[in-house]
Amino acid sequence: MNRYLTIFAFLMIFRVSLCPAQPAAQAVLEDFKPSVLNQPGQEYPQVNSQGYARFRVVAPNAQSVKVSLGGREGTVLTRAADSSWTGTTAAPLDEGFHYYRLTVDGGTFNDPGALNFYGSIRWESGIEIPAHDQDFYALRDVPHGRVQQVLFASPSTGTQRRAFVYTPPDYDKNRKKRYPVLYLQHGWGEDETAWSNQGRANLIMDNLIAEGRIRPFLIVMTYGMTNEIKFGGLRNFDIKPFQTVLVNELIPYVDSHFRTLSDQPHRAMAGLSMGGMETRMITLANLDVFSHIGLFSGGSISMDDVSGTPGFKEKVKLVFVGFGSRELGNSRPGGRGPFGGDPKENAEALKQAGIPSVFYVSPNTAHEFLTWRRCLREFAPLLFQK
Amino acid sequence: MNRYLTIFAFLMIFRVSLCPAQPAAQAVLEDFKPSVLNQPGQEYPQVNSQGYARFRVVAPNAQSVKVSLGGREGTVLTRAADSSWTGTTAAPLDEGFHYYRLTVDGGTFNDPGALNFYGSIRWESGIEIPAHDQDFYALRDVPHGRVQQVLFASPSTGTQRRAFVYTPPDYDKNRKKRYPVLYLQHGWGEDETAWSNQGRANLIMDNLIAEGRIRPFLIVMTYGMTNEIKFGGLRNFDIKPFQTVLVNELIPYVDSHFRTLSDQPHRAMAGLSMGGMETRMITLANLDVFSHIGLFSGGSISMDDVSGTPGFKEKVKLVFVGFGSRELGNSRPGGRGPFGGDPKENAEALKQAGIPSVFYVSPNTAHEFLTWRRCLREFAPLLFQK
C-alpha cells in the first residue's frame, strides 16, 4: 500500500511530465486570451484556441524565470524588451485544469497573474485550457446549490475540522425532503477545497440537476490527509485515523445537521487518486455504511476484493472506476494502470459476476482534474437510482 | 466622494507605511514560532512574543529580496549561508492581521510560506501577530455556524454573482425559526472572502453566541467593487450599480432562500473602509430597508446627514462608528479622521439628538483587520435587541 501512495504522490506532483508534450507541428495561432483562472484584471497567463499557454512575469532584475508547464523541462521564459519575462509552451496542453509554478532565480513562487489552488501540499498557480465539453462544468444561468463550510468537532484528533457540503438548489424549497449523500475525497497533496475549486463539483451538480439527469444528493468533502501521511512522509500510512474521522465523526455530524437519508443504500463514497485508494479501503471495511463506490484514477476493485469481503454482492449497488486515457495509454502494455491489475478487466469481471460495475475512460486527459470532473459527471447519474 | 475613495484605496494599499514602526529599544527575543497563517507544514514566516516577524525565502540566485512589512521601507532580507534570504522586522508589528508581499529582483510575488488573502485587488500573503485578546476570534470548541457560498442571478449586471452567508449554529435545530440579517461589506481591493478569511467573522459570531452575548443573526457578504470602480480606477464612482445588486437582487434572494426576518427592523448593514462608505450611502438612501448602520474605519454620520435624510430619527435604531486608535491618532490634530468631520464629535451630536449612537476605538490598531474584527465584536451585541 505504501508503494501505491508513493505512486499517487508522484503522479500528483509530476503529472505533467508523465503526459508527453504533443508534437508541435502546427503554427501557433495568435488568438491568445487571458486564462479564465486569472486573478481579477490580470492579462497573463493566456491561452489560445489550440491550447498553447503563454506566460508573462515581471521581474526586471531576475537572471532566469521558468514555468513548470509545457513538457518535461517546463517552459523557459526569455527577457523581453520591457524587462518582463515571456514565453509560450512548446506544444498545446491537454484540455482542462493544470497546476503550475514559477522558478525565479532558483526559488519557487506562484504566478502573480493566476489564482491559486491547493495541490502538492502548497497553494499552486492554476490555468485552464477550455475543454470542448466545458459546458458541463460552466457557471450557467440555472438554479444553484450552495457550498457550505462546516466546522465539526473531532475528538479522535483533538481538533475542530473543516468540511464543505454541497446542497442542491431545491434543498430549501421543501423543508421536509431528505437527501442521499456522497462523500467525495481529493487526492494526495490537495485538501477539502479541491473538489469545489479545481473540480467545480457544485457547478457540475447544478448543471446535471437542471438537465434532470440525476437524483439530487448532497456532497460532503473533507480533508483526507491524516497526520500519518503528513507532508511528504508516506511511510507508515494507516487508513484508521481518517476512517475514524469520516465514519465515526463526520457522518454523524452530517446526518444530525442536514436533512439526509442516513441509511446505507443512500450513502456513497468516491475519491480521486489517493482519495480513490482511501475510498476503496474505507468502503470495503464499511459495507454497512456505504453502498456506492467511485474510484477516479485511484485503482480498481478485483474479484479477489469481492471474495475477500463478506456480503459484497448483496451490499454494493455500484462500483464505478474511471481513468484518463493518457494514464492508461499506449505507454503501458495492455493498458494496465500503475496500481495493480487491469482496471478494465477488473470491471468486466465484476459485471460478469452480476455486480453493477461501470468502467469509464476520459478521452485525452491524464492524472488531472478534467478526468475527475468527467468522472463525477458520469458517476452522479448512476447514484441512488432506486 | 471620489477623494474619499482614493483615500480608502491609499489606506488599504499603504496601510503599513501610515503606521509608523515602533521604536526598537528592546532586545529581540528568540522565541519565534511559525505564523498561524502559514501554509501547512511551512516553518516561515515566524512571529515572536514581542510581535517581531522573521522571514525566510529560498531564491538561491536572486540579487535582492524584500518584504513589504516592517515600516516605510519594508524589511530587506539578506542572503544566508545556505542561499536562502532571511530578515527580521526592525520593530514589532501591531497585533493582528497584516497583508504583505515580496519583491524578488524587482518583481512582486507572494511568500511561498504564507497563505494568501484577497486584498489590494490581488491575492496577498498574510501574517498574524497574536493579539492579547485573540480568544474572541479563535477557533474554539463551541457549536459552529456555517459559511455558505451562494450563487445568485444578477440581471442588472448580467452575471451570476457570489455571496457568503453565515448561519448561526442553531439555524438547523429549529426549522421554523427566522433570523435578522446583517449585510457586511469588505474594503477597497478586497472581496466577499475577506470577512471570513481575514476577518474571521464566523468565529467571532460562534464565540459571541456561545457566550450568550448576542441575538443570533445571519451575515451576508458579497462583492462590493462594482464595474464602475474596477481595478485602480476610482473616478466616476457611482453607488447605484452595487446598490441595485445588493438591494434589488441579493436581499430578495436571501429572503427567499433563507429563513430571515425580512422587515426593516431586522436588517442591518455595515462595512469597513470603502465598505463603510458604501454602507453610509446605501443606508441613507434606503432607510425603509435598513435599521442598523455600522461604519468601521469608513467615515461617520453627521447631524447634516440626519437633517438631510427624512425619517432618519424614526427609522434608524443604531449608528455604530468604529476606528483603530492609530488611524485617529496623535499625528492628526484634534483626532480628526481623514474622511471629513470628527467621527467622535459626530457620534456625540447624534446621541445628544436622541439617536442611538456608539463610537468605538480599537486600541493600538491601524487601518487593518484587527480593528474591524473588534468592531464586529462590539457591534454585534447591539443589533436587533428588540
Side-chain angles (χ1 to χ4, degrees):
Chain A
M1 195 54 65
N2 296 349
R3 189 173 64 84
Y4 294 165
L5 258 178
T6 308
I7 292 169
F8 288 127
F10 180 82
L11 285 172
M12 297 294 273
I13 295 174
F14 300 105
R15 61 194 97 200
V16 175
S17 307
L18 288 176
C19 169
Q22 296 162 44
Q26 53 194 343
V28 178
L29 296 177
E30 287 299 326
D31 58 354
F32 285 90
K33 291 178 190 162
S35 160
V36 295
L37 299 184
N38 282 4
Q39 294 197 27
Q42 294 296 315
E43 287 295 310
Y44 285 86
Q46 298 192 339
V47 178
N48 83 351
S49 59
Q50 299 159 297
Y52 286 88
R54 179 169 287 172
F55 302 91
R56 181 176 185 276
V57 176
V58 175
N61 309 318
Q63 307 301 303
S64 76
V65 181
K66 204 177 81 171
V67 178
S68 65
L69 274 181
R72 197 171 294 268
E73 299 300 321
T75 300
V76 176
L77 306 190
T78 55
R79 191 193 297 269
D82 64 354
S83 291
S84 69
W85 295 77
T86 58
T88 304
T89 54
L93 302 172
D94 282 345
E95 293 183 351
F97 174 87
H98 306 283
Y99 295 103
Y100 73 101
R101 54 180 72 182
L102 305 180
T103 304
V104 180
D105 285 352
T108 299
F109 298 97
N110 285 334
D111 185 341
L115 291 174
N116 299 154
F117 300 85
Y118 195 70
S120 304
I121 55 169
R122 65 184 296 275
W123 286 87
E124 299 248 86
S125 298
I127 191 171
E128 180 88 21
I129 310 297
H132 67 280
D133 57 350
Q134 63 179 311
D135 206 41
F136 83 87
Y137 57 83
L139 174 58
R140 283 150 54 182
D141 187 9
V142 299
H144 296 291
R146 298 187 211 144
V147 177
Q148 313 198 16
Q149 174 191 291
V150 301
L151 299 168
F152 63 101
S154 165
S156 74
T157 60
T159 56
Q160 302 284 314
R161 300 181 77 86
R162 186 169 71 164
F164 291 99
V165 179
Y166 169 82
T167 56
D170 66 353
Y171 186 78
D172 291 291
K173 290 271 168 62
N174 180 346
R175 294 195 178 129
K176 290 188 175 168
K177 187 176 172 185
R178 292 184 167 271
Y179 294 80
V181 186
L182 164 64
Y183 290 81
L184 186 60
Q185 289 304 125
H186 59 82
W188 182 89
E190 296 170 342
D191 70 7
E192 65 273 24
T193 62
W195 266 109
S196 301
N197 289 354
Q198 292 94 303
R200 302 171 78 95
N202 54 321
L203 300 181
I204 293 169
M205 291 290 288
D206 291 345
N207 293 334
L208 287 169
I209 291 168
E211 292 164 8
R213 290 189 52 210
I214 66 171
R215 174 178 175 179
F217 53 86
L218 309 191
I219 300 181
V220 179
M221 301 158 276
T222 197
Y223 186 58
M225 301 266 288
T226 58
N227 289 334
E228 277 59 29
I229 305 185
K230 271 203 178 143
F231 306 104
L234 295 179
R235 289 179 224 103
N236 310 318
F237 177 74
D238 177 5
I239 191 66
K240 285 202 194 97
F242 175 57
Q243 180 175 279
T244 301
V245 169
L246 184 75
V247 176
N248 300 25
E249 297 172 344
L250 180 55
I251 289 179
Y253 177 93
V254 169
D255 285 337
S256 66
H257 287 77
F258 291 85
R259 300 194 316 276
T260 62
L261 292 163
S262 58
D263 53 355
Q264 187 262 9
H266 297 97
R267 198 180 291 117
M269 183 173 181
L272 72 90
S273 193
M274 182 194 82
M277 185 199 74
E278 293 178 331
T279 297
R280 183 178 166 282
M281 295 172 83
I282 290 176
T283 55
L284 290 181
N286 295 275
L287 287 188
D288 292 331
V289 180
F290 301 98
S291 53
H292 296 68
I293 304 171
L295 311 180
F296 308 164
S297 305
S300 62
I301 287 179
S302 68
M303 283 308 295
D304 285 350
D305 293 325
V306 172
S307 53
T309 310
F312 190 101
K313 283 192 187 182
E314 297 72 38
K315 293 174 180 171
V316 174
K317 299 295 174 244
L318 174 69
V319 176
F320 177 99
V321 170
F323 281 91
S325 67
R326 296 201 202 283
E327 298 181 275
L328 299 168
N330 304 327
S331 59
R332 291 196 180 82
R336 295 174 72 84
F339 312 115
D342 180 319
K344 188 176 179 184
E345 281 174 16
N346 282 345
E348 277 300 324
L350 263 60
K351 199 180 288 181
Q352 294 290 327
I355 297 164
S357 166
V358 171
F359 184 69
Y360 169 73
V361 177
S362 162
N364 303 317
T365 60
H367 201 70
E368 297 196 90
F369 250 104
L370 185 52
T371 298
W372 307 320
R373 291 174 186 165
R374 285 176 177 160
C375 282
L376 179 59
R377 176 192 65 192
E378 300 297 316
F379 182 56
L382 307 175
L383 292 179
F384 316 120
Q385 285 306 305
K386 55 180 177 179
Chain B
M1 195 53 66
N2 296 349
R3 191 173 65 83
Y4 294 165
L5 259 177
T6 307
I7 292 170
F8 288 127
F10 180 82
L11 285 172
M12 297 294 273
I13 295 175
F14 300 105
R15 61 193 97 198
V16 174
S17 307
L18 288 177
C19 169
Q22 296 163 42
Q26 53 193 344
V28 178
L29 296 178
E30 286 300 323
D31 58 355
F32 285 90
K33 291 178 189 162
S35 160
V36 295
L37 299 184
N38 282 4
Q39 295 198 27
Q42 295 295 315
E43 287 295 311
Y44 285 86
Q46 299 192 338
V47 178
N48 84 350
S49 60
Q50 299 160 296
Y52 286 88
R54 180 169 288 172
F55 302 90
R56 182 178 185 274
V57 176
V58 175
N61 307 319
Q63 307 301 303
S64 76
V65 181
K66 205 178 81 172
V67 178
S68 65
L69 274 181
R72 195 173 295 267
E73 300 298 321
T75 300
V76 175
L77 306 189
T78 55
R79 192 193 297 267
D82 64 354
S83 292
S84 68
W85 294 77
T86 58
T88 304
T89 53
L93 303 172
D94 282 345
E95 292 184 349
F97 174 87
H98 306 284
Y99 295 103
Y100 73 102
R101 54 180 73 183
L102 306 179
T103 305
V104 180
D105 284 353
T108 299
F109 298 97
N110 285 333
D111 186 340
L115 292 174
N116 299 152
F117 300 85
Y118 196 70
S120 304
I121 55 170
R122 64 184 296 274
W123 286 87
E124 300 249 84
S125 298
I127 191 171
E128 180 87 21
I129 310 296
H132 68 279
D133 57 349
Q134 63 180 312
D135 207 42
F136 82 88
Y137 58 83
L139 174 58
R140 283 151 54 182
D141 187 10
V142 298
H144 296 292
R146 298 187 211 142
V147 178
Q148 313 198 16
Q149 174 191 290
V150 301
L151 299 168
F152 64 100
S154 166
S156 74
T157 59
T159 57
Q160 302 285 313
R161 299 181 79 86
R162 184 168 72 163
F164 291 99
V165 179
Y166 169 83
T167 56
D170 67 352
Y171 186 77
D172 291 290
K173 291 269 167 65
N174 179 345
R175 295 197 176 125
K176 289 187 175 168
K177 187 176 170 185
R178 293 183 166 271
Y179 294 80
V181 186
L182 165 64
Y183 290 80
L184 186 60
Q185 290 304 126
H186 59 82
W188 182 90
E190 296 170 342
D191 70 7
E192 65 273 25
T193 63
W195 266 108
S196 301
N197 289 354
Q198 292 95 302
R200 303 171 78 95
N202 54 320
L203 301 180
I204 294 170
M205 290 291 288
D206 290 346
N207 293 334
L208 288 170
I209 291 168
E211 292 163 8
R213 291 189 50 211
I214 66 172
R215 173 177 176 181
F217 54 85
L218 310 191
I219 300 181
V220 178
M221 301 157 275
T222 198
Y223 186 58
M225 301 266 288
T226 57
N227 290 333
E228 277 59 29
I229 304 184
K230 270 200 179 148
F231 305 105
L234 295 178
R235 288 178 224 104
N236 310 317
F237 176 75
D238 178 5
I239 192 66
K240 285 202 194 98
F242 176 57
Q243 179 176 280
T244 300
V245 168
L246 184 75
V247 177
N248 302 100
E249 296 172 344
L250 181 54
I251 289 178
Y253 176 92
V254 169
D255 285 336
S256 65
H257 287 77
F258 292 85
R259 299 194 316 275
T260 61
L261 292 163
S262 57
D263 52 355
Q264 187 261 10
H266 297 98
R267 198 179 292 117
M269 184 173 180
L272 72 90
S273 194
M274 182 194 81
M277 184 199 73
E278 292 179 331
T279 297
R280 183 177 166 282
M281 295 172 83
I282 290 176
T283 55
L284 290 182
N286 294 274
L287 286 188
D288 291 331
V289 179
F290 302 98
S291 53
H292 297 69
I293 303 171
L295 311 180
F296 308 164
S297 304
S300 61
I301 287 178
S302 67
M303 283 308 295
D304 284 350
D305 293 324
V306 172
S307 53
T309 310
F312 190 101
K313 284 192 187 182
E314 297 73 37
K315 293 175 181 172
V316 173
K317 300 294 175 244
L318 174 68
V319 175
F320 178 99
V321 170
F323 281 92
S325 67
R326 296 202 203 285
E327 298 180 277
L328 299 168
N330 304 326
S331 59
R332 291 196 180 82
R336 296 173 72 85
F339 311 116
D342 181 319
K344 188 176 179 184
E345 281 175 16
N346 281 345
E348 278 300 324
L350 263 59
K351 200 181 286 181
Q352 294 291 328
I355 297 164
S357 166
V358 171
F359 184 69
Y360 170 72
V361 177
S362 162
N364 302 317
T365 60
H367 202 69
E368 296 196 271
F369 249 104
L370 185 52
T371 298
W372 306 320
R373 291 174 185 164
R374 287 176 176 159
C375 282
L376 179 59
R377 176 192 65 191
E378 300 297 317
F379 181 56
L382 307 175
L383 292 179
F384 316 121
Q385 286 306 304
K386 55 180 178 179

